[in-house]
Amino acid sequence: MSPDLRAAVREVPGGVELSVFCQPKAARSALIGMHGGALKAKVKAPAVEGRANRALLDLLAGALGVPRGRLTLVSGEQSRNKRIRVDGVDVESALAAILSALDPLAEVGRQTRQGGPTEAQKFRPDDLDGNGV
């Protein structure tokens, strides 16, 4: 099941504007999915001296396949909730690029949290009766 990204992408003259929730100082940089109506992104960089903002713009430029210079931080410089303008991209191509760039491991984590048993839950101690079943 793919997340509905339309809430996070809106058309503006000459491009699109993305609503992004950015989590700094993560283990790795990746686009995760949706969070409160915004695209959720994790970046390794800390939120110090604009490093997380630069890392986020680099991540999005790579995901969208556009030069970094086409992205502008419109608002949220010191907030986790940000608006980013991307020039020269239409809504449909932005949605397709973001969807293909979403971290597949994040989808597995969401499925596990939504009620499927984890590997630890699949193991039952009474399975250790010595017959390998």
Side-chain angles (χ1 to χ4, degrees), residues 9-71:
V9 181
R10 71 181 185 103
E11 189 173 7
V12 295
V16 296
E17 192 171 275
L18 306 174
S19 296
V20 180
F21 177 84
C22 183
Q23 178 184 335
K25 215 170 165 188
R28 59 192 171 79
S29 295
L31 296 177
I32 303 302
M34 293 294 288
H35 177 84
L39 174 65
K40 182 174 181 180
K42 293 182 176 184
V43 294
K44 285 180 75 169
V48 177
E49 299 172 354
R51 285 191 261 173
N53 289 335
R54 288 190 296 275
L56 174 63
L57 294 178
D58 290 340
L59 175 66
L60 289 171
L64 294 168
V66 298
R68 165 72 167 69
R70 287 196 193 170
L71 280 76

Side-chain angles (χ1 to χ4, degrees), residues 70-120:
R70 287 196 193 170
L71 280 76
T72 307
L73 181 61
V74 175
S75 69
E77 187 174 330
Q78 295 182 348
S79 170
R80 287 183 175 216
N81 295 305
K82 302 177 184 301
R83 284 191 358 234
I84 295 159
R85 180 183 170 90
V86 185
D87 291 321
V89 176
D90 62 78
V91 171
E92 293 307 317
S93 60
L95 288 170
I98 292 168
L99 191 57
S100 67
L102 286 178
D103 185 353
L105 295 177
E107 182 67 26
V108 170
R110 278 193 297 276
Q111 288 174 353
T112 301
R113 285 191 305 272
Q114 290 176 354
T118 65
E119 289 302 315

